[in-house]
Amino acid sequence: MANVVVVGAQWGDEGKGKIVDWLSERADVVARFQGGHNAGHTLVIDGQVYKLHVLPSGVVRGGKLSVIGNGVVLDPWHLVKEIDILRGQGVEISPETLMIAENTPLILPVHGELDRAREEQNSVAKIGTTGRGIGPAYEDKVGRRVVRVADLADLATLQTRVDRLLAHHNPLRRGLGIPEIDRDDLVKQLQDIAPEVLKYAAPVWKVLNEKRKAGKRILFEGAQGALLDVDFGTYPFVTSSNVIAGQAATGTGIGPNGIDFVLGIVKAYTTRVGEGPFPTELFDDDGDRLGTRGHEFGTTTGRKRRCGWFDACLVRQTCATSGVTGISLTKLDVLDGFETLKICVAYELDGKRMDYLPTAADEQARCTPIFEEMPGWSESTEGARSWADLPANAIKYVRRVEELIECPVALLSTSPEREDTILVTDPFQD
């Protein structure tokens, strides 16, 4: 059986939640492999709306094992809150259905406070962080001073970890004019929350490898989008983790040979939240129309998303860096009724044509899009479940996207409802 990695191929908000839910019905395990509760996935199942931030999308499906891998940074208090909300919606969550890697780093209150203080005091260039402490937690992971899930099980170890953490953070907080952290109070907070986290703790790397050997189907779920990858995104306006498909191996311990299919989620137009370059961004009625029709507001922050035409250059790049096997094209129905559609096929930089977005931030800012125009369609594509239900011009648009990004469409999504999906290639078919 094939194991599938799902990654966002733009700046996030591509509709991963629905696709993961659609695929999870046939998976045995759904694993999150990076990011934190800065992610936001909205699922609509039989009219019921579920909003997930750190829990894998498969958690709302009975009979599935959901896994939070070590590549995730976990806020334990948010985890408990999110579990309580879902239980209130009738979702059953137990140690039999949810596992958390023992080596998962924890987001502590100190991380969120530092995140927000830096953003407020940054007079050079704001990153547009969600302020939830994700970046500082990853910094502490790399700095070898983070508290991990396994540390909660032993008080002496926990105290040592907290002491090492505060030896770094308290001097930093003094410099920022923030009160120092009370060590004993932080240890007590962690002791209080520990039982709620430790009951889900497990050697995830071992469990996943055993599941793989047993022929179980594993679905690896990414958060954000590849253009926010800390290495290959529009740096520094990126998240603090690797988002591309290779992180699925590192972030769970499955090993790269455990990945059989990479599904890139691609919106039929382009959006992003927060600061950073956006070559095809629209500031006119077309941009407003895309935002209104697409309900483009962040699941986590509620911030209005910036909207623009489809950028084939960017998606071609992310398909390459993530080794995408096939894409899932979402929100095609938002383009219904446009007389003319535009696709960015290249950039102009200082009089030179470029077929990729350069790495240097100043060059990214100077890139202007070169558009190709295509006729739109007046018919509705909403709810289409077969190619025969699509207008001819909609099919032409999809085919042109495939050509430009050099990657085939495996799935086509035509509404938020999970069944409104056209299956072209089965990602789970090995």
Side-chain angles (χ1 to χ4, degrees):
M1 296 295 182
N3 296 324
V4 179
V5 177
V6 176
V7 294
Q10 292 159 304
W11 278 295
D13 308 310
E14 302 95 348
K16 292 183 294 297
K18 170 197 165 170
I19 300 303
V20 169
D21 173 63
W22 191 88
L23 291 169
S24 68
E25 188 172 41
R26 296 163 56 230
D28 300 296
V29 182
V30 182
R32 269 284 303 272
F33 60 84
Q34 54 75 222
H37 62 301
N38 54 341
H41 292 169
T42 300
L43 308 181
V44 182
I45 304 173
D46 298 327
Q48 175 71 60
V49 178
Y50 302 95
K51 292 185 181 294
L52 306 178
H53 298 278
V54 72
L55 290 170
S57 295
V59 78
V60 299
R61 291 275 157 205
K64 312 293 177 185
L65 174 62
S66 291
V67 169
I68 295 176
N70 57 277
V72 174
V73 284
L74 180 67
D75 182 325
W77 295 276
H78 175 87
L79 172 74
V80 171
K81 179 180 178 182
E82 191 168 322
I83 289 173
D84 287 344
I85 291 173
L86 288 178
R87 282 178 175 157
Q89 293 182 285
V91 178
E92 294 184 12
I93 300 175
S94 71
E96 285 69 46
T97 61
L98 176 65
M99 284 186 182
I100 301 171
E102 295 169 321
N103 51 340
T104 299
L106 297 180
I107 301 173
L108 308 182
V110 62
H111 294 127
E113 292 168 7
L114 177 60
D115 205 359
R116 293 185 291 273
R118 281 175 171 169
E119 190 76 349
E120 290 168 3
Q121 296 184 22
N122 190 349
S123 60
V124 179
K126 292 187 181 296
I127 299 298
T129 173
T130 60
R132 284 164 169 75
I134 281 75
Y138 275 118
E139 288 179 44
D140 283 342
K141 175 183 177 178
V142 175
R144 295 165 291 184
R145 54 180 172 264
V146 80
V147 177
R148 304 197 297 181
V149 168
D151 299 331
L152 298 175
D154 181 73
L155 178 57
T157 301
L158 178 61
Q159 290 173 328
T160 299
R161 296 286 185 270
V162 169
D163 287 341
R164 182 174 176 82
L165 180 83
L166 296 186
H168 171 80
H169 277 273
N170 276 337
L172 190 59
R173 292 170 71 89
R174 287 197 298 270
L176 290 168
I178 309 172
E180 293 187 22
I181 293 293
D182 185 309
R183 180 257 200 191
D184 293 339
D185 181 61
L186 179 56
V187 170
K188 185 177 186 309
Q189 288 182 59
L190 289 167
Q191 283 184 287
D192 291 343
I193 200 71
E196 295 299 318
V197 178
L198 287 173
K199 62 185 174 184
Y200 302 109
V204 159
W205 67 270
K206 186 174 185 293
V207 173
L208 290 183
N209 277 281
E210 289 171 350
K211 295 287 186 184
R212 180 191 170 208
K213 289 176 183 177
K216 301 298 183 182
R217 289 173 166 171
I218 305 173
L219 186 62
F220 298 92
E221 176 185 8
Q224 291 93 36
L227 292 171
L228 295 174
D229 185 273
V230 70
D231 286 307
F232 294 99
T234 49
Y235 192 90
F237 304 100
V238 293
T239 193
S240 298
S241 62
N242 285 111
V243 181
I244 59 177
Q247 178 63 18
T250 309
T252 62
I254 192 69
N257 62 347
I259 298 171
D260 302 296
F261 193 103
V262 178
L263 182 67
I265 314 299
V266 179
K267 197 177 287 187
Y269 49 102
T270 311
T271 64
R272 82 172 296 175
V273 172
E275 307 297 325
F278 187 169
T280 66
E281 184 173 9
L282 294 169
F283 302 94
D284 57 10
D285 291 342
D286 286 338
D288 291 339
R289 186 176 178 184
L290 289 172
T292 301
R293 289 189 53 117
H295 306 290
E296 297 296 351
F297 294 90
T299 302
T300 299
T301 63
R303 289 183 290 184
K304 183 179 179 181
R305 297 179 186 132
R306 300 153 64 189
C307 297
W309 294 118
F310 186 80
D311 192 328
C313 292
L314 289 180
V315 176
R316 186 168 58 245
Q317 282 181 233
T318 58
C319 284
T321 55
S322 273
V324 173
T325 314
I327 70 164
S328 172
L329 193 65
T330 66
K331 289 199 168 185
L332 183 68
D333 54 300
V334 174
L335 300 181
D336 292 351
F338 278 93
E339 185 175 338
T340 302
L341 300 171
K342 294 182 180 182
I343 299 177
C344 175
V345 296
Y347 307 115
E348 183 177 319
L349 173 61
D350 301 335
K352 179 182 177 182
R353 185 183 176 100
M354 303 277 291
D355 64 356
Y356 68 96
L357 191 67
T359 300
D362 62 315
E363 291 185 346
Q364 290 178 353
R366 297 202 306 276
C367 282
T368 57
I370 298 173
F371 287 115
E372 177 181 293
E373 293 190 355
M374 295 189 69
W377 54 89
S378 57
E379 306 95 320
S380 174
T381 64
E382 185 175 0
R385 298 184 181 181
S386 72
W387 288 108
D389 296 333
L390 296 176
N393 282 347
I395 295 175
K396 289 178 182 177
Y397 182 83
V398 173
R399 295 305 185 201
R400 185 56 178 151
V401 165
E402 289 180 311
E403 291 174 1
L404 291 168
I405 68 173
E406 300 173 1
C407 192
V409 169
L411 296 166
L412 190 64
S413 173
T414 56
S415 94
E417 292 292 338
R418 70 188 303 272
E419 298 303 328
D420 292 340
T421 306
I422 300 172
L423 177 64
V424 181
T425 301
D426 186 350
F428 276 123
Q429 186 62 47
D430 191 1

